[in-house]
Amino acid sequence: MKSIFIKDIRAGDLVDDIFVLSEKTMAQKRDGSNFLNITISDKTGNIKGVIWDRVDEISAGTASGDFVQVQGAVSEYKGTLQLVVKNMTTIPADSINPSDFLPATRRDIDKMFLRLLKITATMEAGHLKKLFETFFNDMDFVRKFKNAPAAKKMHHAYIGGLLEHTLSMALLADRIAGHYSGVDRDLLIAGTILHDIGKIREFNYKYSIDYSDEGRLLSHIVIGIMMLDEKLKEVEDFPQDQAILLRHMIVSHHGTREFGSPEPPKTIEAVLLNYIDEIDAKVNGIRDFMAKEDPNESWTSYHRLLGRHFFRGKGD
């Protein structure tokens, strides 16, 4: 049983508990001796640490992704908390409680999935209905789709996050499709549901959220295209032009090559998908960031990635 979670750690604390070793990199001091930069995590967040002593011994006995017993003291370095580690040893995975380390959606996963099924049932295009039947009749796919995170850090980075993100986007897509004339509602909703399916294989999420080898080598975009093509083979006479448009939506949903899309969006539906994805990811990420901040402060700390503070509003 964990005695302390990362969200509760403060400067001056002494720590002796189990965490996930998320990252570990060797570096050198000016005198040429080694030290270790590490990041440890649990379901409430992560904290960076440094190991100055017994570096080679500790490094040889641990690997990224391990559960580790960490002893050390917490200080503040350049405005952020840092754990100065005195000792770190590997703990067998079967001796820990995964719920201590994997953050999870607060929503009911089965209810979210049922709501998504109801949305696909409203599609008018028979070939798309058949396509989703092949996905949702695949129990291995459904199990992974229900549990996968949508990211490692940025947004919906928790068990059930992919389903939560996908459902939210599908609901937005349904509303937006009715606002603009000429939008293929079925295609847009299909794109929102399929755009991130590759993430069920991009991430490992049994004990902690990290990239799989396949995910690092191919990315969820390439994996998603492969998964879509596998299912398209099971749908008789699926229109080839529709298959190309679906592939394009997966390929282009990041918006630009700079952000990982091989091609930018080139249909109205693909453009809408990109912005719906951006809206949902940003709002979720900002809300999570705000939730971890001091509730007594009107402004958050500086969000480095987005380059700004966020205003929380004046308290009563």
Side-chain angles (χ1 to χ4, degrees), residues 1-10 13-23 38-49 51 61-74 81-93 95-102 207-209:
M1 183 74 176
K2 280 179 65 63
S3 59
I4 189 169
F5 287 96
I6 286 172
K7 70 178 180 63
D8 300 317
I9 290 176
R10 301 290 182 266
D13 286 349
L14 297 177
V15 172
D16 185 357
D17 214 324
I18 299 172
F19 302 91
V20 176
L21 179 59
S22 300
E23 297 176 359
I38 66 168
T39 301
I40 57 173
S41 62
D42 60 28
K43 69 179 181 180
T44 67
N46 59 72
I47 185 172
K48 292 187 180 297
I51 302 174
T62 57
S64 295
D66 284 352
F67 291 98
V68 287
Q69 183 83 34
V70 176
Q71 291 97 30
V74 183
L81 295 179
Q82 182 186 67
L83 181 62
V84 179
V85 177
K86 297 300 182 184
N87 192 35
M88 183 171 71
T89 54
T90 300
I91 300 294
S95 67
I96 64 95
N97 179 3
S99 65
D100 287 339
F101 300 92
L102 282 173
Y207 294 110
S208 63
I209 298 172

Side-chain angles (χ1 to χ4, degrees), residues 218-276:
L218 298 181
S219 85
H220 70 277
I221 289 179
V222 173
I223 297 169
I225 293 292
M226 293 165 58
M227 292 173 63
L228 173 60
D229 283 350
E230 288 170 5
K231 295 303 184 187
L232 285 172
K233 293 176 184 177
E234 300 178 29
V235 182
E236 188 175 354
D237 297 325
F238 193 96
Q240 286 303 305
D241 59 335
Q242 289 286 295
I244 291 171
L245 291 175
L246 280 176
R247 293 186 189 105
H248 174 67
M249 294 183 83
I250 294 175
V251 162
S252 66
H253 76 266
H254 281 186
T256 65
R257 294 183 179 92
E258 177 187 1
F259 293 133
S261 277
E263 292 294 330
K266 297 176 181 177
T267 67
I268 290 295
E269 292 79 15
V271 169
L272 289 173
L273 171 60
N274 169 233
Y275 285 115
I276 291 169

Side-chain angles (χ1 to χ4, degrees), residues 7 28 39 52 62 80 84 96 104 107 114 163 213 227 251 264 273 306 312:
K7 70 178 180 63
Q28 282 193 331
T39 301
W52 300 112
T62 57
T80 60
V84 179
I96 64 95
R107 300 176 184 272
L114 181 60
L163 174 57
D213 291 342
M227 292 173 63
V251 162
L273 171 60
L306 297 179
R312 296 167 55 95

Side-chain angles (χ1 to χ4, degrees), residues 6 27 39 53 66 111 113 124 136 165 173 176 180 208 221 237 263 284 300 303 306 311:
I6 286 172
T39 301
D53 303 317
D66 284 352
K111 287 182 179 178
F113 186 67
E124 296 180 358
F136 296 148
H165 176 50
I176 290 172
Y180 296 105
S208 63
I221 289 179
D237 297 325
E263 292 294 330
N284 178 268
T300 68
H303 194 300
L306 297 179
F311 184 59

Side-chain angles (χ1 to χ4, degrees), residues 67-240:
F67 291 98
V68 287
Q69 183 83 34
V70 176
Q71 291 97 30
V74 183
S75 60
E76 193 167 307
Y77 177 69
K78 293 184 177 180
T80 60
L81 295 179
Q82 182 186 67
L83 181 62
V84 179
V85 177
K86 297 300 182 184
N87 192 35
M88 183 171 71
T89 54
T90 300
I91 300 294
D94 58 7
S95 67
I96 64 95
N97 179 3
S99 65
D100 287 339
F101 300 92
L102 282 173
T105 179
R106 296 177 182 177
R107 300 176 184 272
D108 186 302
I109 286 179
D110 289 330
K111 287 182 179 178
M112 285 195 294
F113 186 67
L114 181 60
R115 197 171 182 189
L116 192 66
L117 289 178
K118 289 180 178 178
I119 293 174
T120 60
T122 66
M123 290 180 172
E124 296 180 358
H127 58 279
L128 288 176
K129 281 189 173 183
K130 290 178 182 177
L131 175 64
F132 282 106
E133 284 175 6
T134 67
F135 275 107
F136 296 148
N137 288 335
D138 182 341
M139 291 300 103
D140 183 58
F141 169 82
V142 170
R143 177 181 57 82
K144 293 175 181 177
F145 183 69
K146 284 182 173 181
N147 288 285
K152 181 179 178 180
K153 294 180 180 179
M154 292 305 302
H155 68 94
H156 300 89
Y158 41 77
I159 296 302
L162 176 60
L163 174 57
E164 183 181 316
H165 176 50
T166 301
L167 174 60
S168 179
M169 285 182 59
L171 292 169
L172 282 171
D174 189 29
R175 295 181 181 183
I176 290 172
H179 182 75
Y180 296 105
S181 62
V183 174
D184 186 332
R185 173 188 178 273
D186 285 0
L187 180 63
L188 178 59
I189 290 175
T192 63
I193 297 172
L194 295 173
H195 81 288
D196 270 349
I197 56 170
K199 289 185 175 180
I200 72 171
R201 286 162 41 184
E202 183 178 40
F203 294 110
N204 292 323
Y205 39 93
K206 183 177 181 181
Y207 294 110
S208 63
I209 298 172
D210 202 354
Y211 289 94
S212 65
D213 291 342
E214 183 182 22
R216 288 188 186 278
L217 291 168
L218 298 181
S219 85
H220 70 277
I221 289 179
V222 173
I223 297 169
I225 293 292
M226 293 165 58
M227 292 173 63
L228 173 60
D229 283 350
E230 288 170 5
K231 295 303 184 187
L232 285 172
K233 293 176 184 177
E234 300 178 29
V235 182
E236 188 175 354
D237 297 325
F238 193 96
Q240 286 303 305

